[in-house]
Amino acid sequence: MPSEAQRLHPFGILSRALRLVRQLLLPAVLGGASIGDDLGGILFWVLLLLAVPSLLIGIAHWIAFRYRVEADDLIIDSGVLSRRRRVIPIDRIQNVDLEQSPLERLARVAELRIETASGGREAEATLSVLPLDQARAVQSDLLARRRRAREQAPGEQAQEPAAEPLLRLSTPDLALAGATSNEAGLIAAGLATLLEVAGRFGALAGIGEVVDDAVAAGAGAGAVGVVAALAIMVLAFFVLGWLVSIVATVVRFHGFTLTRHGDDLRREHGLFSRRHTTVPLARVQAVRVEQTLPRRALGLVALKIDTAGAGPHAGSGGRGEAHIPIARLPDLDRLLPSILADGAVDPRRLRPVAPASRRRETTRLSATALLVAAALWVSGIPRPWLALLLLPAAWLLARARYRSRGWELSRSHLLARDGVLTRTTWIVPERKIQTLHVTQTPFQRRWDLATLLVDTAAGTRAARVIDLTGPTAVALMDRLADRRADDPPHADPRAPGDPPHADRQAP
Amino acid sequence: MDESRSGYDSAEPQLWSLHPRAVPLWRLKALFRGTVLTAAVLLVEWSLDLPLPFGLATIVLAVLVVANAIVTPPLRYRAWRFALREDDLLLRYGVLFRTSAIVPHVRIQHVDTHHGPLDRALGLADLLVYTAGSRGAIMTIPALARDDAESLRDTLAELSGAGDAV
């Protein structure tokens, strides 16, 4: 790798200008729309007013931008008005991601994003863009240098470790992933909103008009007809949302491959925008195994790998989150040991939480059901006793909640499962635990139950084991705190007096 | 403190309480917040010219504010315990919702003391412990004697793991 300062590929000017326009387009159009209502005219002027300065800014930045890779540092000079030099120590680099938009793929260029552990939402440095070959070369050069710097074994030749393929998803796999995600409802709501906005601009009939039409069409058959018409419309939106969810998943994750290169996990996917993500395994804070109801029935899972870094794969929480959109349950036997370096992790075999959990949920949900029934009775609707049917529903939900909960300690991980609609199993490496909390609500105290909360630097949520018995929760917390303190020695993880393993149940 | 059912009562060598002046401090704070709330409610009622029953409700609110300021702080004070242990910091607090938390020393990013005007008048300070976590990333031990807070801060800063990677 040459060590003199390098310029980026001039295509980056266009990329940057396009990105700027894209970011400013919506607010500018909305701003313009508040002045007048000629949508076409507004769009034209907004584009013109945005495009020219964006292009000029892009050119200025391209001229000012230089980077070079030195022995221990990546050095980037940038800034038009105020010059700025950023020195990134190579051993601090966490991820080097390669990303291509559809246009960039046509031009055979790619963007490199370099992340360090600093918590911001943006990547620490972005090289936008490089010729594809050069981007690949810089990526593997930086990763190799980082490995060398970390091994601190001078003279030892760092070579690219062999790639071990872990998972490859076909288009039918991805269609299945989209079909079994529970995003259809969300997308349906989004579509309805979009239709309403389009209606405002007079481009399409607004949602209100569609509803009016449907009601008018059904009114011929009386009240039943109106209800049927509305039900059909809601169903249509759901089917549409479902199809969109399938297509979106296929497009986003097309050609998904997951490989392991030494201590890194690499992901590659995308039909139009191609993404190459590197996840250093040492940075994994938690792995979440998620199962929606249809996935549970079909023996499918989705995996989310939480890291503490920022960057392009950052989820809504602002921290890193790498998805594996779909896998079959048996695939976990291969994936989890490779990702976690712990062969004893098996999310299918967990211990149940305290049986009092079911009694607590039954009491709680029955009380809610009775309150609702009482309210309906008071409101004087016909046949209020039908509301008592809520009671068995409450009992079923209580049972489902109890059975969704489970936990286990493997050699070096805590597993915690919860969730009825989407069942999530958290797998937290003990070494990544930040703080531990045992909490008791007044109702939990009544049943001598407690919740163990295990916080890591992943995302905005923490893993929770809900409804252990009080003593078990405290014993588990102390055990995890002790293990954290004196690393490897793996004592027998079972707390005294815990139910034997025969009580384990499948998720 | 009745902890026999909670399972929290694993024999700890040294559990510390907060400074007893936490009680007057919290009482003053609760009174202040309650007074602001009541005043805001009164202002709304006065400006909307609401009928008498609302006025009675405001009296009930004022009584509740005073009762809360008298009753709650001692309970909170009695529930609060913490211990500096060999490898971690242990916190126990909460009257209705009880929590027991552990912060391993190696996970501490930095430590602050904080004192507002009221704390200063009473010679108290809060100790804030920061971790890299998401939920519960900042843990607070309130109402310590200022000297205690500062010496605990320095001890924790010394014990905290330098360069512990996330």
Side-chain angles (χ1 to χ4, degrees):
Chain A
M1 186 57 42
S3 72
E4 68 267 24
Q6 302 260 320
R7 272 242 162 81
L8 300 171
H9 190 284
F11 188 84
I13 301 169
L14 195 63
S15 289
R16 193 189 176 93
L18 282 175
R19 196 175 317 132
L20 214 59
V21 168
R22 208 174 53 199
Q23 275 170 6
L24 295 176
L25 191 58
L26 192 64
V29 167
L30 287 180
S34 65
I35 301 167
D37 49 10
D38 172 17
L39 191 58
I42 290 165
L43 209 59
F44 173 77
W45 282 107
V46 162
L47 276 177
L48 195 70
L49 282 175
L50 288 180
V52 174
S54 298
L55 220 55
L56 289 178
I57 292 172
I59 292 171
H61 275 283
W62 180 73
I63 292 173
F65 196 102
R66 288 219 175 54
Y67 75 93
R68 68 175 191 272
V69 183
E70 291 203 335
D72 300 322
D73 302 304
L74 171 68
I75 298 171
I76 293 172
D77 291 314
S78 65
V80 179
L81 295 178
S82 55
R83 302 284 301 160
R84 151 179 190 172
R85 163 166 291 196
R86 179 172 279 186
V87 180
I88 301 175
I90 286 176
D91 63 336
R92 304 303 274 185
I93 291 177
Q94 299 294 348
N95 293 358
V96 184
D97 290 349
L98 192 147
E99 212 172 309
Q100 287 181 292
S101 71
L103 269 182
E104 288 166 351
R105 282 177 82 184
L106 281 177
R108 299 200 52 73
V109 294
E111 184 178 288
L112 268 193
R113 301 192 184 195
I114 292 112
E115 290 174 29
T116 64
S118 73
R121 187 136 171 70
E122 285 294 306
E124 194 78 349
T126 308
L127 303 181
S128 170
V129 293
L130 300 173
L132 188 57
D133 300 341
Q134 201 183 335
R136 290 231 163 96
V138 173
Q139 184 188 30
S140 51
D141 181 50
L142 284 175
L143 291 175
R145 279 172 197 259
R146 185 197 68 181
R147 204 159 31 244
R148 241 171 320 186
R150 293 211 173 152
E151 274 161 8
Q152 290 172 339
E156 193 178 314
Q157 271 302 313
Q159 67 238 354
E160 183 81 339
E164 173 200 347
L166 288 178
L167 190 67
R168 181 180 294 276
L169 296 177
S170 66
T171 306
D173 289 337
L174 293 170
L176 197 59
T180 54
S181 79
N182 48 10
E183 282 159 13
L186 216 68
I187 295 172
L191 283 174
T193 316
L194 209 65
L195 205 59
E196 181 59 26
V197 172
R200 282 277 159 73
F201 279 113
L204 279 165
I207 185 85
E209 291 167 50
V210 174
V211 171
D212 288 346
D213 288 351
V215 169
V224 178
V226 172
V227 171
L230 285 175
I232 288 172
M233 211 187 64
V234 169
L235 194 70
F237 266 105
F238 263 95
V239 170
L240 206 60
W242 192 59
L243 291 176
V244 170
S245 158
I246 294 175
V247 172
T249 309
V250 169
V251 167
R252 182 169 167 215
F253 290 109
H254 178 80
F256 183 97
T257 59
L258 183 75
T259 45
R260 187 178 162 164
H261 293 250
D263 295 331
D264 294 332
L265 217 54
R266 293 202 191 160
R267 258 183 358 143
E268 201 180 322
H269 63 85
L271 181 59
F272 299 121
S273 296
R274 206 72 194 142
R275 288 189 166 190
H276 306 241
T277 320
T278 310
V279 179
L281 289 173
R283 300 258 301 152
V284 172
Q285 304 289 315
V287 174
R288 280 175 288 152
V289 181
E290 294 193 347
Q291 284 189 299
T292 57
L293 273 174
R295 281 183 191 156
R296 221 140 66 218
L298 295 170
L300 300 170
V301 293
L303 261 66
K304 287 182 178 155
I305 303 172
D306 293 311
T307 61
H313 56 265
S316 49
R319 310 279 183 118
E321 187 185 280
H323 290 225
I324 298 173
I326 200 89
R328 286 172 214 318
L329 266 177
D331 290 336
L332 291 181
D333 296 336
R334 205 158 30 83
L335 289 173
L336 290 179
S338 194
I339 297 172
L340 301 167
D342 179 349
V345 169
D346 186 355
R348 280 162 297 179
R349 297 170 61 79
L350 299 186
R351 286 192 245 191
V353 296
S357 174
R358 183 172 169 184
R359 291 198 288 278
R360 178 171 82 92
E361 291 290 355
T362 307
T363 313
R364 204 169 92 166
L365 292 167
S366 301
T368 313
L370 285 175
L371 270 177
V372 171
L376 287 176
W377 204 293
V378 171
S379 72
I381 61 157
R383 289 191 286 274
W385 46 266
L386 273 178
L388 289 179
L389 286 178
L390 285 173
L391 267 182
W395 299 334
L396 282 177
L397 182 57
R399 178 167 169 270
R401 279 198 181 157
Y402 166 64
R403 294 182 63 154
S404 77
R405 289 171 188 159
W407 69 283
E408 184 57 279
L409 268 183
S410 78
R411 277 210 303 275
S412 53
H413 292 77
L414 173 75
L415 287 83
R417 192 186 62 204
D418 185 37
V420 172
L421 283 183
T422 300
R423 182 170 290 182
T424 305
T425 310
W426 283 78
I427 307 173
V428 181
E430 281 165 9
R431 288 158 164 275
K432 297 298 180 190
I433 293 175
Q434 293 282 339
T435 56
L436 293 149
H437 311 242
V438 168
T439 60
Q440 274 188 317
T441 67
F443 298 106
Q444 279 183 314
R445 202 151 63 233
R446 204 172 101 69
W447 297 101
D448 194 18
L449 294 170
T451 295
L452 173 69
L453 205 136
V454 178
D455 193 26
T456 66
T460 48
R461 292 184 302 157
R464 294 191 302 172
V465 188
I466 300 171
D467 285 349
L468 294 165
T469 65
T472 313
V474 172
L476 190 56
M477 172 165 80
D478 288 341
R479 188 172 301 257
L480 286 169
D482 282 350
R483 277 216 213 167
R484 235 232 62 87
D486 49 50
D487 284 333
H490 294 308
D492 178 37
R494 276 157 239 1
D498 272 345
H501 260 101
D503 282 357
R504 287 168 154 195
Q505 59 180 50
Chain B
M1 192 162 53
D2 174 27
E3 282 184 339
S4 51
R5 276 174 65 83
S6 70
Y8 286 176
D9 210 13
S10 58
E12 284 304 330
Q14 191 159 31
L15 281 171
W16 295 345
S17 304
L18 306 179
H19 194 278
R21 278 203 292 272
V23 176
L25 175 74
W26 288 338
R27 280 196 172 134
L28 285 172
K29 281 184 175 171
L31 270 182
F32 180 71
R33 276 197 304 265
T35 311
V36 170
L37 180 72
T38 316
V41 169
L42 273 177
L43 197 69
V44 170
E45 284 176 1
W46 176 72
S47 60
L48 293 179
D49 207 8
L50 292 174
L52 189 64
F54 287 94
L56 290 177
T58 317
I59 293 174
V60 173
L61 176 70
V63 170
L64 283 178
V65 161
V66 173
N68 173 52
I70 292 173
V71 174
T72 328
L75 295 177
R76 268 175 74 199
Y77 172 75
R78 254 183 288 160
W80 245 107
R81 291 283 186 281
F82 67 96
L84 182 64
R85 305 194 294 189
E86 193 182 343
D87 298 316
D88 51 43
L89 184 67
L90 175 76
L91 314 176
R92 287 178 192 166
Y93 54 90
V95 179
L96 282 179
F97 294 83
R98 287 192 191 160
T99 300
S100 152
I102 289 178
V103 189
H105 295 323
V106 288
R107 287 315 198 189
I108 295 174
Q109 299 286 330
H110 62 277
V111 198
D112 281 354
T113 50
H114 171 268
H115 37 91
L118 208 52
D119 301 298
R120 257 202 310 279
L122 290 167
L124 300 176
D126 297 345
L127 183 75
L128 278 72
V129 179
Y130 297 79
T131 71
S134 40
R135 208 203 112 130
I138 305 170
M139 313 276 265
T140 307
I141 304 180
L144 296 170
R146 207 144 129 209
D147 295 345
D148 289 347
E150 275 160 14
S151 74
L152 193 55
R153 177 194 63 197
D154 296 341
T155 312
L156 283 174
E158 208 161 287
L159 288 168
S160 72
D164 181 46
V166 183

